[in-house]
């Protein structure tokens, strides 16, 4: 009985007997040694060493050392360690047995953090990917999103911008609902939307299908990312220190604007010879100021990280301090962050344990006025920011600037400041009580509060501040939230039948008070507090709340460790819907068959793991973009005034019938391990989303541009393939390779409340995308560019003529009249496939890690080019430099890509059309890291446990045809001003070189 | 086994207490208020429930004409309205092309997707939607409180004003045929998305009907003085707009009737010459501003203001200058005070040239200088001078020539002209070179109402071709450019986002 009970969690056995073994030892042979990793020779602390056939065992200490007594020279020692293949060694007469364990690629015994619980890999029936810190934290980044770039099939990460402090954006499995936020739910140590410092991450689990996410119900419509932060470890204390310093350079890709001479030549084509001569004197060629090089410069960043952990069996703690000072490549931009974290776990007796986790963070973010960030690309090389006396130009009109800008941005940045300051803290308290073995109650309460201040300071010495005698704008935000999850968990085995499960409730509230402050005018140069201003123009401030409540339950069953079934259900309430539509009930079920545990598979020795699995569920979604807390509410808003009186205006048509969007994801997957060296995961999914939450466009004459509605059904289907293989694994040299690829297709299945209407067209400014029933959703919708008329030099677009009666297409022709061109679907913003691959090569202490990511087959609308590659439409800003293969029409017969330039543009050729739609495919070396660990002997001499050096390079090289700065564009609608696949001016990404050292002692 | 049992028993007690805890947690969480409503927003039902609420809705209409409601700070109802109506005229030139869609008013290569026409249309209908909420949800009768009558009257006034603005920008005037498409007329709250454009005739019928109801309900907001009252819809401005509307519909007797009513009964007077220029700069103290969109001195819109394109001082761009024909016209009489609306910019002793161009610089200051700020101004949407000249045009069309010239001379005298500088039936053609009385009236309108968005309407309404045969950035060589009065690009395209989502709405030719 006792034997059977204790057999289960291996570690307990080991611990128990490890402590016990000295007591029972009597005059036996003592064997000592070190257990290390074969790959890099680093010691493995906590590895189990058991005398075969007995219950005697020990675990290795912090340096991987062990000491064990064996009965005689026939004894066999079993060495095992999580994540490594076990090994057996006959001791013979050896007194010292050193063992190096080979990494087990499949990690079957690995414990994976899943929704509300932990499971071993074999038990999981759904599409789940788990990554350990060492697989992802090579890149120095601000968020987990950037860590996952190119690492996981079905996960897409947008690099966003190079602005310091900005985090990448992550999307899992294509586009379900373009209008609701598609951000996956991030759960940190069980706390929904908890905060973390990237350095503290121990593991990341990505839940992709309903089987895995089902338990999070409505919140998990776009997948879930579970982050587990490091915890205290029992045993000797361990201190980790990491310092890194690096430089970064702005990366402009293929994008370039003209220099003085190029611009001069271009204008000579725009203007007639006489006009040109009178307004563009040749002396302009003596002036060639490079605004981009002087605005975006090489910059530096520094990070420092310190963590400490120690503990006994009763209690342990983990403490970390993290610091980042990141200077942006755009002059004056800077981001500083400091965070601290303390996690303490106490075992109060055998049954009760309490974990408390407290963290705090401070951030400071300086960013520039847009006249500087965008000005660099627009200002003309003929304008010099400095006078001949080397002073900064103040009045650009007097200085006779050619550029159509109101001021000299370099003059303003001397005095003005735009910044954000944030302080946040959160506490997370969990109590776990074991009622009886197999039944426990777990309650987790989280509290968090954030305080932020946004400020704009415009000195009276600057162009912006001068007219009002200097200006200070403050907006102060305060938010707090609380939540609780209380679960009853059980686990029980009856012979070959194992049951486990949980039931519980979860709820919480988020309250934000935002925008307190005002606009103060009349300050002295250098002053920075609102109170000193002579007049406060308008006080602002608002408040909003969101509440949720859910009850949930899950049951897991497994038979003979071969057949696994999980069923979960959840009822969710959300304050975002009207009183009648607040609650939704969701469920999921998954099943898997571990075929490699069947005898008929076991006979194939090369198959060491084979599992097939499937899942289905109904998942709700209630997320809205732009902090939309009351989307159902037909609202009139105040805030603006007229004649110093309150004024209410219609702000939201509201929709009392608005209700949960529900997606029904079906998933099939196979996990296959071969030759103990390779693992392949293949998943197929079909996600049918109904009652799509959609900003349904209205004719403008209704007074609103859209209304939130549940409009129809969309389907996403796709395949994901992941491969991990150890190509070579010897004592000194190893080589791993990983590859993942995914492909997603979407289709609008139905539009529900619009009989007879077969499509919806969405727009942002003049860009449009169409959703047509039965066709891929969100295709770009615009006039189709047909090049330049070789005879006239005018633009050509396609006209489709339709038969008036039947509506069917009769003919296709071209036109030079923009307004006669036919709006039509011209390509998808979504890639045909995307993924990543990488390799890790280790030789002795050296390791080389290269990670690639790729995207293929998407169309990007290059809005920046529309603005500055416009055939003379704007002769008072710099222009796009023509790239290889591009040419301007000059005379009849010319085959050109660009129409003849004319003042004000040539026949609206620069208006919205597929002329600016470009192939977005790319391949990028996302990261390259060269590491070196000092040999153990040297490390020990200087009394350290470990010492590693790293040199990493981010965004080393990108191959793409895209003419813009970065083909990595958002593939979702982050707000109503954008569309997926739109590339406009942005803070350029960085090529970053970072040298780091990590010491453990 | 024994051990296990004892353990279980102990835990039953514990379990009970834990179960209680569990229930407490459940109830606490569940009692969380789930029916949340916004802190700052209210429904229209809440607003129409009180007189004060209706007033705040009326304020909302005016606020929307004044404010920048989208991220694009160029988007402002009055800015687009004044630019879309004035820039196509023969009063102004532009010195360079610009990515701002206002460029298309100069080169006439309109597209349906212009951000300025789209915003004007969208915000116009947002205002109409708010007025419809007031008009449809509040029943007014004789016994209704005066305050409420005023606020509801304002709703009718703003609805009429916006329909009039939209009709001027997107459709031809009734003189081109009342069966031509006007604008989409919505007067109810729950109309279908799909709604056809009313005819021009019906559009103007709606405008006139709303104005007549407004005139009946309105007095002066909060019994204030004429300056404060002019910041809101009021009875006298309604009369003024009626004179304009009847001029458009060619019902000249009615135009004269309402002009008379305003001129004889109203408390407004023509601003004296001495304070004339300042009455534009600080229009809220003007004696002749019937209705102004008021900007407080803290609400300078800088580079987005109407004046910013005309005047390069302060935050202004200063890229649209008076056309040569207009400059020659106003300069004919040196003592015409209206010369003072044009500032010549010097570089040393020469007239300065706009950088990177050969254009001489002349700033127009009509929409500037409120409280001494170059880009701050509260534009008048209708003022008494226009009503005099509305009457003059109506007289001219009905052959009451002397009456017409009397009104013209009232305006000329105020401008500082006298003797032969005034227009008489005798010096009309010989001295002044006018073709006829109507020509004299239209020229006076051009002089007096310059840059206020009337010139294009005057030509269109009277079916006169537009002559822009002078140098401007869209015509660098100063070629002959005469555009026929009935040319399709005299009006703008209906915004594409109306056409896509309202299939019943037809595009202009």
């Amino acid at each position: 009985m006792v034997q059977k009970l204790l057999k289960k969690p291996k570690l307990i056995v080991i611990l128990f007997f490890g402590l016990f073994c000295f007591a029972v030892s009597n005059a036996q042979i003592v064997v000592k040694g070190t257990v290390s990793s074969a790959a890099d020779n680093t010691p493995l602390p906590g590895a189990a060493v058991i005398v075969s056939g007995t219950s005697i065992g020990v675990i290795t200490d912090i340096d991987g050392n062990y000491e064990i007594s064996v009965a005689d020279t026939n004894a066999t020692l079993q060495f095992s360690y999580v994540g490594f293949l076990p090994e057996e060694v006959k001791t013979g007469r050896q007194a010292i047995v050193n063992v190096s364990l080979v990494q087990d690629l499949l990690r079957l015994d690995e414990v994976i953090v899943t929704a509300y619980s932990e499971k071993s890999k074999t038990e999981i029936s759904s599409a789940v990917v788990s990554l350990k810190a060492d697989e992802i934290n090579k890149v120095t980044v601000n968020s987990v999103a950037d860590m996952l770039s190119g690492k996981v099939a079905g996960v897409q990460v947008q690099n966003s911008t190079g602005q310091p402090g900005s985090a990448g954006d992550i999307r899992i499995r294509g586009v379900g609902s373009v209008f609701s936020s598609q951000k996956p739910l991030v759960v940190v140590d069980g706390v929904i939307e908890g905060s973390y410092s990237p350095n503290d991450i121990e593991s990341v689990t990505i839940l992709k299908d309903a089987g895995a996410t089902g338990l999070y119900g409505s919140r998990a419509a776009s997948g879930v990312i579970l982050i587990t932060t490091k915890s205290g470890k029992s045993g000797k204390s361990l201190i980790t220190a990491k310092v890194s310093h690096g430089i970064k350079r702005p990366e402009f890709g293929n994008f370039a604007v003209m220099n003085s001479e190029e611009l001069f030549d271009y204008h000579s084509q725009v203007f007639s010879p006489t006009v040109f001569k009178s307004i563009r004197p040749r002396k302009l060629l003596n002036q060639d100021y490079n605004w981009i090089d002087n605005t975006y410069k090489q910059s530096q960043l520094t990070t420092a990280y310190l963590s400490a952990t120690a503990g006994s069996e009763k209690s342990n703690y983990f403490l970390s301090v993290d610091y980042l000072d990141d200077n942006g490549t755009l002059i004056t931009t800077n981001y500083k962050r400091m965070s601290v974290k303390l996690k303490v776990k106490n075992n109060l007796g055998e049954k009760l344990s309490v974990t408390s986790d407290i963290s705090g963070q401070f951030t400071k973010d300086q960013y520039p006025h847009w006249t500087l960030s965008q000005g660099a690309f627009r200002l003309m090389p003929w304008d010099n920011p400095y006078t001949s006396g080397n002073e900064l130009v103040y009045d650009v009109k007097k200085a006779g600037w050619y550029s159509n800008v109101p001021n000299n941005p370099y003059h303003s940045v001397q005095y003005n400041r735009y910044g954000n300051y944030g302080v946040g803290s959160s506490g997370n308290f969990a109590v776990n009580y074991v009622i009886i073995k197999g039944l426990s109650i777990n309650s987790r309460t989280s509290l968090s509060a954030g305080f932020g201040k946004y400020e704009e300071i415009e000195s009276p010495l600057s162009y912006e501040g001068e007219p009002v005698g200097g200006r200070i704008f403050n907006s102060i935000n305060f938010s707090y939230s609380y939540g609780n999850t209380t679960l009853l968990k059980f686990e029980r085995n009856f012979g070959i039948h194992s049951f486990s499960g949980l039931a519980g409730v979860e709820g919480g509230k988020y309250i934000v008070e935002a925008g307190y402050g005002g606009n103060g005018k009349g300050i002295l140069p250098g002053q920075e507090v609102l109170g000193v201003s002579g007049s406060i123009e308008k006080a602002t401030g608002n408040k909003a709340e969101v509440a949720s409540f859910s009850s949930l339950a899950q049951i897991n069953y497994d038979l003979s460790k071969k057949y696994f079934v999980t069923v979960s259900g959840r009822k969710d309430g959300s304050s975002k819907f009207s009183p009648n539509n607040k609650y939704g009930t969701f469920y999921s079920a998954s099943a898997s068959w571990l075929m490699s545990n069947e005898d008929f598979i076991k006979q194939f020795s090369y198959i060491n793991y084979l599992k097939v699995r499937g899942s289905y569920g109904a998942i709700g979604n209630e997320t809205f973009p732009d902090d939309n807390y009351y989307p159902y509410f037909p609202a009139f808003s105040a805030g603006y005034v007229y004649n110093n009186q309150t004024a209410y205006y219609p702000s939201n048509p509201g929709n009392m019938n608005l209700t949960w969007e529900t997606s029904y994801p079906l998933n099939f997957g196979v996990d296959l391990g071969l030759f103990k060296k390779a693992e392949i995961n293949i998943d197929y999914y079909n996600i049918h989303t109904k009652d799509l939450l959609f900003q349904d466009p209205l004719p403008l004459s209704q007074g609103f541009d859209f209304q939130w509605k549940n409009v129809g059904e969309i389907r996403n289907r796709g395949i994901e393939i992941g491969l991990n293989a150890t190509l070579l694994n010897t004592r000194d040299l190893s080589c791993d390779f990983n590859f993942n690829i995914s492909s997603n297709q979407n289709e609008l299945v139905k539009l529900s409340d619009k009989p007879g209407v077969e499509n919806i067209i969405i727009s942002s400014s003049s860009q449009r995308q169409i959703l047509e029933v039965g066709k891929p959703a969100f295709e770009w919708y615009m006039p189709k560019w047909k090049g330049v008329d070789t005879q006239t030099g005018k633009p050509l677009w396609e006209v489709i003529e339709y038969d008036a009666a039947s509506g069917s297409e009769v003919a296709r022709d071209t036109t030079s009249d923009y307004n006669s061109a036919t709006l039509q679907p011209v390509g998808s913003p979504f890639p045909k496939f995307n993924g990543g691959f990488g390799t890790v090569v280790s030789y002795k202490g050296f390791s080389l890690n290269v990670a690639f990511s790729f995207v293929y087959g998407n169309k990007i609308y290059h809005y920046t080019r529309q603005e500055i590659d416009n055939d003379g439409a704007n002769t008072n800003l710099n222009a796009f430099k023509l790239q290889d293969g591009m040419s301007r029409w000059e005379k009849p017969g010319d085959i050109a890509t660009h129409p003849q330039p004319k003042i004000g543009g040539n026949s609206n050729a620069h208006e919205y059309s597929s002329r600016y739609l470009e192939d977005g495919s790319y391949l990028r070396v996302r990261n390259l890291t060269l590491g070196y660990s000092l040999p153990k002997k040297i490390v020990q001499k200087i009394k350290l446990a470990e010492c590693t050096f790293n040199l990493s390079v981010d965004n080393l090289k990108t191959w793409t045809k895209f003419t813009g700065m970065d083909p990595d564009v958002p593939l979702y609608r982050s707000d109503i001003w954008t569309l997926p696949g739109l590339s406009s001016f942005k803070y350029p990404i960085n090529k970053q070189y970072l040298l780091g050292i990590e010491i453990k002692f | 086994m024994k051990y296990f049992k004892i353990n279980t028993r102990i835990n039953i007690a514990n379990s009970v207490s834990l179960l209680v805890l569990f229930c407490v947690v459940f109830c606490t969480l569940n009692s969380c208020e789930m029916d949340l409503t916004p802190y700052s927003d209210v429904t229209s039902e809440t607003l129409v429930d009180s007189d004060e609420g209706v007033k705040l809705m009326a304020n909302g209409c005016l606020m929307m004409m004044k404010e920048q409601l989208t991220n694009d700070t160029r988007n402002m109802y009055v800015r687009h309205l004044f630019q879309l109506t004035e820039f196509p005229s023969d009063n102004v030139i532009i010195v360079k092309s610009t990515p701002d869609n206002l460029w298309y008013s100069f080169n006439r290569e309109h597209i349906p997707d212009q951000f300025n026409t789209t915003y004007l249309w969208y915000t116009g209908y947002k205002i109409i939607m708010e007025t419809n909420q007031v008009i449809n949800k509040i029943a007014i009768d004789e016994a209704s409180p005066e305050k409420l009558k005023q606020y509801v009257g304002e709703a009718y006034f703003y609805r009429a004003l916006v329909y009039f603005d939209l009709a001027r920008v997107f459709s031809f005037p009734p003189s081109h045929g009342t069966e031509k498409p006007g604008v989409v007329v919505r007067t109810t709250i729950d109309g279908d998305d799909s709604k056809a454009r009313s005819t021009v005739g019906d559009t103007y019928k709606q405008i006139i009907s709303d104005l007549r109801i407004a005139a009946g309900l309105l007095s002066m907001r909060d019994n204030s003085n004429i300056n404060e009252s002019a910041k809101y819809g009021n009875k006298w401005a309604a009369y003024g707009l009626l004179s304009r509307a009847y001029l458009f519909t060619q019902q000249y007797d009615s135009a004269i009737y309402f002009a008379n009513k305003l001129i004889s009964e109203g408390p407004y007077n023509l601003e004296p010459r001495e304070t004339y220029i300042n009455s534009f700069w600080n229009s809220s103290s003007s004696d002749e501003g019937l209705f102004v969109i008021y900007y407080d001195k803290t609400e300078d819109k800088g580079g987005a203001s109407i004046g910013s394109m005309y005047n390069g001082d302060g935050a202004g761009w200063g890229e649209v200058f008076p056309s040569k024909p207009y400059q020659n016209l106003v300069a004919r009489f040196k003592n015409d005070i209206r010369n003072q609306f044009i500032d010549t910019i010097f570089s040393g002793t020469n007239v300065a040239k706009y950088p990177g161009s050969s254009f001489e610089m002349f700033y127009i200051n009509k929409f500037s200088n409120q409280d001494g700020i170059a880009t701050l101004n509260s534009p008048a949407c209708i003022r008494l001078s226009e009503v005099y000249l509305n009457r003059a045009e109506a007289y001219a069309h009905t052959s009451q020539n002397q009456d017409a010239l009397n009104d013209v001379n009232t305006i000329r005298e105020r401008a500082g002209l006298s003797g032969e500088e005034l227009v008489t039936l005798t010096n009309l053609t010989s001295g002044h070179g006018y073709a006829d009385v109507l020509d004299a009236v239209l020229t006076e309108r051009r002089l007096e109402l310059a840059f206020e968005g009337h010139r294009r309407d005057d030509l269109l309404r009277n079916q006169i071709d537009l002559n822009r045969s002078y140098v401007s950035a869209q015509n660098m060589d100063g070629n002959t450019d005469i555009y026929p009065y009935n040319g399709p690009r005299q009006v703008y395209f209906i915004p594409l986002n109306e056409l896509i989502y309202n299939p019943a709405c037809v595009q202009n030719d």
Side-chain angles (χ1 to χ4, degrees), chain A residues 682-701:
Chain A
I682 300 171
D683 275 279
Y684 165 81
Y685 62 86
N686 183 338
I687 306 168
H688 196 133
T689 306
K690 296 182 180 171
D691 296 328
L692 206 58
L693 280 175
F694 205 88
Q695 289 174 331
D696 193 26
L698 296 174
L700 302 178
S701 62

Side-chain angles (χ1 to χ4, degrees), chain A residues 600-762:
Chain A
F600 63 89
I601 295 289
K602 278 184 178 165
Q603 58 176 309
F604 303 107
S605 60
Y606 57 88
I607 297 178
N608 51 318
Y609 185 71
L610 176 60
K611 180 188 240 184
V612 291
R613 51 192 161 71
S615 68
Y616 184 71
I619 312 280
N621 181 16
E622 46 106 44
T623 53
F624 295 86
D626 298 338
D627 296 338
N628 201 333
Y629 301 113
Y630 311 97
Y632 77 91
F633 191 83
F636 275 66
S637 296
Y640 295 106
V641 298
Y642 183 75
N643 196 19
N644 291 314
Q645 290 180 0
T646 308
Y648 273 91
Y649 69 102
S651 55
N652 182 8
N655 182 354
M656 284 299 183
N657 296 319
L658 196 65
T659 190
W660 295 87
E661 170 182 298
T662 310
S663 54
Y664 299 86
L666 176 69
N667 191 93
F668 293 107
V670 180
D671 302 322
L672 175 64
L674 294 170
F675 305 107
K676 298 189 175 175
K677 289 205 162 176
E679 184 184 12
I680 300 163
N681 313 94
I682 300 171
D683 275 279
Y684 165 81
Y685 62 86
N686 183 338
I687 306 168
H688 196 133
T689 306
K690 296 182 180 171
D691 296 328
L692 206 58
L693 280 175
F694 205 88
Q695 289 174 331
D696 193 26
L698 296 174
L700 302 178
S701 62
Q702 289 284 36
F704 293 105
D705 48 357
F706 69 83
Q707 179 176 31
W708 279 105
K709 277 187 194 162
N710 301 98
V711 297
E713 301 178 12
I714 200 167
R715 184 161 49 215
N716 276 270
R717 278 178 290 195
I719 288 180
E720 296 161 356
I721 300 168
L723 167 74
N724 284 288
T726 303
L727 302 178
L728 198 65
N729 196 354
T730 66
R731 191 173 191 94
D732 287 335
L733 179 65
S734 75
C735 177
D736 292 343
F737 176 75
N738 63 72
F739 175 82
N740 71 77
I741 187 166
S742 48
S743 172
N744 181 74
Q745 279 183 309
N746 60 14
E747 180 195 330
L748 185 70
V749 180
K750 196 176 139 192
L751 281 173
S752 47
D753 74 335
K754 297 202 161 187
V757 178
E758 291 291 292
N759 66 58
I760 297 187
I761 294 154
I762 59 167

Side-chain angles (χ1 to χ4, degrees), chain A residues 91-168:
Chain A
T91 55
R93 294 193 171 278
Q94 303 172 78
I96 294 175
V97 176
N98 290 332
V99 175
S100 47
L101 298 179
V102 175
Q103 222 157 3
D104 174 12
L105 198 69
L106 301 179
R107 302 197 300 202
L108 299 183
D109 53 356
E110 176 192 356
V111 173
I112 293 173
V113 180
T114 62
Y116 298 97
S117 59
E118 296 179 352
K119 288 180 181 176
S120 81
K121 187 169 173 173
T122 50
E123 292 174 312
I124 288 175
S125 302
S126 40
V128 162
V129 179
S130 179
L131 295 162
K132 295 292 179 207
D134 58 354
E135 296 173 87
I136 51 177
N137 74 354
K138 300 285 189 225
V139 195
T140 297
V141 292
N142 289 310
S143 77
V144 72
D146 300 283
M147 293 177 161
L148 295 174
S149 178
K151 296 280 182 190
V152 183
V155 172
Q156 270 191 304
V157 179
Q158 257 73 47
N159 231 339
S160 65
T161 73
Q163 181 158 329
S166 74

